[in-house]
Amino acid sequence: MDIAANGMFRMELPRPAGIDIGVSNVAVLSDGTVYENNHEYSKAIDGFRKTGERLSGTLTNTEQYRKTKSRLNHRYRRIVNRRKDYVEKTSLDIVKNHTTIVMEDLSIKGLRSVSKSPNMTISYNDGSLGMLRKRISDKAMEAGRELILVDPRNTSQMCSRCHNMVHKELSDRVHICPVCGLTMDRDLNASVNILRLGLTRNPSLATTG
């Protein structure tokens, strides 16, 4: 809500948004909104492992075994519930505040299959990326929002200002265009490209340059 020229409060209308779903941040929107990866899974994994090791070294059918197993189950349920809660709140906030939602048409399962390291795989688990995409889609349909899926090719490499291709490795977190000089967060640059691609319905935008 903002204040109009006459001093009266004016409701802000929901606006379209491109969404780059990733690992460093769970989601970055084209309007600059960032939903951080809280890394709940990676923080809890050491606790899971230690409790699991204690369980494997304990005789079954003993009181200590039952207590350790109960503790392990409790840790698991807690992290699952926290991840679900974060996904629900994030997806609801995105759908509530945007009329048109544009996302890349990609497979999280496919991304995980080509993960370059165990840490990257854990990061996918951290972000619950597949679950987030599904809940955004479900909530968008329930709310009557427009959901557009676009070709993911080059959305991270293209400059959102001049459309020049700027090669970046996964470790490169900043987009710096040598042609027009645009410097901005890599994921924000991608989300702007995703939005433009969805609103124009022009697939060639992802392959020019």
Side-chain angles (χ1 to χ4, degrees):
M1 183 179 294
D2 62 2
I3 301 177
N6 60 8
M8 299 294 290
F9 283 103
R10 176 177 58 197
M11 292 297 294
E12 290 186 0
L13 295 176
R15 53 203 182 281
I19 307 175
D20 183 64
I21 291 178
V23 172
S24 296
N25 293 297
V26 169
V28 176
L29 277 55
S30 52
D31 61 8
T33 304
V34 176
Y35 297 91
E36 296 181 348
N37 189 337
N38 55 25
H39 298 287
E40 287 278 3
Y41 184 82
S42 57
K43 290 175 182 176
I45 196 68
D46 286 340
F48 287 148
R49 287 171 178 164
K50 290 176 182 177
T51 306
E53 289 170 0
R54 285 199 297 271
L55 183 66
S56 63
T58 305
L59 292 175
T60 57
N61 299 320
T62 64
E63 183 64 20
Q64 184 60 40
Y65 182 88
R66 285 189 289 272
K67 287 182 178 180
T68 304
K69 186 174 182 179
S70 175
R71 191 175 300 115
L72 186 65
N73 290 337
H74 175 72
R75 283 178 179 270
Y76 178 76
R77 287 194 300 270
R78 183 172 60 182
I79 191 64
V80 167
N81 289 335
R82 285 181 177 176
R83 288 167 67 188
K84 285 183 178 179
D85 183 63
Y86 188 66
V87 165
E88 289 299 314
K89 288 179 178 177
T90 300
S91 57
L92 177 62
D93 192 59
I94 290 173
V95 172
K96 179 179 66 176
N97 292 307
H98 300 92
T99 48
T100 299
I101 297 167
V102 188
M103 295 191 295
E104 293 174 311
D105 187 9
L106 50 77
S107 165
I108 299 300
K109 182 179 180 180
L111 282 175
R112 290 182 60 182
S113 69
V114 295
S115 295
K116 295 182 179 297
S117 70
N119 287 337
M120 185 177 291
T121 299
I122 289 174
S123 293
Y124 285 125
N125 290 331
D126 259 328
S128 304
L129 304 186
M131 187 189 306
L132 178 60
R133 282 175 53 83
K134 184 177 188 307
R135 294 306 291 150
I136 291 174
S137 298
D138 291 345
K139 284 182 169 63
M141 292 182 63
E142 293 167 3
R145 303 301 200 202
E146 182 180 23
L147 178 66
I148 304 172
L149 299 180
V150 300
D151 189 335
R153 287 179 298 168
N154 297 323
T155 54
S156 293
Q157 306 297 330
M158 180 185 290
C159 177
S160 59
R161 178 188 287 170
C162 71
H163 305 172
N164 178 60
M165 290 297 176
V166 182
H167 177 73
K168 293 181 275 294
E169 301 291 345
L170 288 174
S171 58
D172 297 328
R173 303 312 309 163
V174 179
H175 167 81
I176 304 174
C177 181
V179 176
C180 71
L182 178 65
T183 301
M184 66 192 308
D185 176 81
R186 171 202 180 108
D187 297 337
L188 178 58
N189 177 72
S191 66
V192 174
N193 283 327
I194 291 166
L195 177 62
R196 185 180 70 252
L197 181 58
L199 294 183
T200 60
R201 310 300 203 281
N202 184 357
S204 66
L205 286 177
T207 56
T208 59

